[in-house]
Amino acid sequence: MISTNIDQEIKQAMLAKDQVKLRGLRAIKAAILLAKTEKSQTEEINEDAEIKILQKLVKQRKESADIYKSQGREDLYQVEQEEIEVITQYLPKQLDSAEVEAIIEQIIAESGATSIKEMGKVMGLANKQLAGKAEGKLIGEIVKSKLG
């Protein structure tokens, strides 16, 4: 579980006075705690849910970084980039587009999809199999190019 490692990592970052890592770890901890309180006290958050939370954090920071970059705010852009680096360390290794493409081709062959009308079915299977390993945007683009 990611959340158990985060507490230890926060302590180490505090001792090392690593403000960048500490800021990223605290963001992760806050997001996981928020998700736990939303679920309810009886339900535990599994590792898949934690990965989705981390992916959401990375996506939010990338969007913010793009906005800061377009407005010429290098200082704020740098903060977002640093947090992205810290958070991605706790995500599974991302597959490159060639690996994702090969998996999607296999899914299309197994499902028998032949037209763009079946994109939803293929996307559902692909998102399930590639959860945490590839961005949804990339998956969507590849599925569309293969079926379109």
Side-chain angles (χ1 to χ4, degrees), residues 134-147:
E135 285 185 7
K137 185 177 177 183
L138 175 65
I139 295 169
E141 289 171 357
I142 293 172
V143 169
K144 199 172 196 176
S145 70
K146 295 293 176 188
L147 293 176

Side-chain angles (χ1 to χ4, degrees), residues 15-95:
L15 291 172
K17 295 185 181 4
D18 186 348
Q19 295 303 314
V20 172
K21 189 171 185 178
L22 189 58
R23 193 173 53 241
L25 292 169
R26 284 182 173 156
I28 293 170
K29 184 172 182 167
I32 290 173
L33 284 173
L34 182 64
K36 283 181 181 177
T37 56
E38 287 174 356
K39 283 274 188 187
S40 76
Q41 279 87 10
T42 57
E43 252 183 84
E44 273 295 311
I45 291 183
N46 62 13
E47 196 160 353
D48 289 339
E50 287 180 339
I51 289 171
K52 285 181 182 171
I53 291 167
L54 295 183
Q55 287 175 320
K56 184 178 176 184
L57 291 174
V58 170
K59 183 179 178 188
Q60 289 170 340
R61 277 156 182 75
K62 282 182 180 178
E63 290 169 356
S64 297
D66 290 341
I67 292 168
Y68 293 143
K69 184 89 167 170
S70 69
Q71 295 177 346
R73 294 294 310 266
E74 283 297 318
D75 54 334
L76 297 173
Y77 170 79
Q78 190 61 39
V79 169
E80 296 297 328
Q81 287 299 108
E82 291 168 348
E83 287 185 20
I84 288 170
E85 287 176 25
V86 172
I87 296 167
T88 53
Q89 292 173 1
Y90 297 93
L91 285 170
K93 182 189 169 290
Q94 297 289 296
L95 300 175

